[in-house]
Amino acid sequence: IVEWCCRNEISKFRLYIHRTAVSARRLVQLYKAADYLALVGLAKMVAQMAHNLTTRFPPLACAVYDEADLHTKISQDALEMIEKRPYVTLPPDSDTEGGIACLTEHKLISIYEDSNVQAGELFLFQMLKEWLQCRNEDHDSTSRGAVPDGEEGERQHNDFATVRVCASHL
């Protein structure tokens, strides 16, 4: 933001944008800051950068959609890509760390509630299984016994509740 205000460019920031979910989320955070500070030119530029990134690496649309506030341009662009190209945006992608695994419960449910997603029920069911599997793998790799049993049960209950809601929209 400082670079934008001083020079009307963000060349140094561009060096830190890679084809990963972390970089996609970083772009969205910059977009949010630019929007909050009413830096319209910066917000437009960052929205275009996010669009270009998700066009080149479609699984990153999930990371952008998850990080973005609902009903913003950047969120709508990512959602549109997910709706029109679910077979390339939703499958987990180990190269970019993108795909359905990037979505939190709330954003996952919003995609399954969206009647504009152009995918078959079997594919969406498979993606739901992938999401749950990724959640369990992430949890297993980070906790290793550090989470009390009550919290583990609550997490599993929340995950299965999310799966139930999503499955009801298939």
Side-chain angles (χ1 to χ4, degrees):
I1 289 177
V2 172
E3 185 179 13
W4 174 262
C5 292
C6 292
R7 298 187 185 140
N8 248 13
E9 65 180 17
I10 54 171
S11 56
K12 290 181 183 176
F13 181 78
R14 288 178 192 258
L15 297 175
Y16 297 103
I17 299 303
H18 307 288
R19 58 178 192 164
T20 65
V22 171
S23 285
R25 289 180 186 278
R26 192 175 295 138
L27 269 176
V28 175
Q29 292 164 2
L30 180 58
Y31 175 85
K32 287 178 179 181
D35 186 51
Y36 178 77
L37 297 170
L39 300 171
V40 178
L42 179 59
K44 279 183 176 180
M45 181 185 293
V46 172
Q48 186 62 50
M49 288 171 66
H51 177 77
N52 293 346
L53 186 66
T54 58
T55 300
R56 288 186 64 210
F57 307 103
L60 295 179
C62 290
V64 170
Y65 179 65
D66 189 65
E67 190 72 23
D69 295 332
L70 287 175
H71 310 297
T72 59
K73 177 178 178 12
I74 204 165
S75 172
Q76 293 301 320
D77 287 350
L79 179 59
E80 185 176 328
M81 178 171 279
I82 293 167
E83 289 171 346
K84 291 185 169 112
R85 302 182 65 199
Y87 293 97
V88 294
T89 56
L90 292 177
D93 182 60
S94 58
D95 291 339
T96 62
E97 300 168 357
I100 200 163
C102 292
L103 297 172
T104 55
E105 295 92 345
H106 175 70
K107 294 292 180 93
L108 178 72
I109 290 171
S110 72
I111 288 174
Y112 277 78
E113 289 175 337
D114 187 344
S115 61
N116 295 322
V117 175
Q118 300 171 358
E121 290 178 358
L122 180 59
F123 174 76
L124 291 173
F125 179 72
Q126 290 170 331
M127 291 301 97
L128 200 50
K129 285 176 48 178
E130 289 282 342
W131 178 82
L132 190 58
Q133 182 179 351
C134 290
R135 295 272 296 181
N136 288 333
E137 288 172 1
D138 287 348
H139 178 73
D140 289 345
S141 67
T142 57
S143 67
R144 299 280 182 226
V147 177
D149 289 335
E151 290 180 28
E152 171 66 15
E154 184 177 336
R155 184 194 63 79
Q156 286 179 347
H157 174 74
N158 290 340
D159 287 351
F160 287 123
T162 299
V163 168
R164 249 191 321 272
V165 170
C166 291
S168 72
H169 292 284
L170 294 178

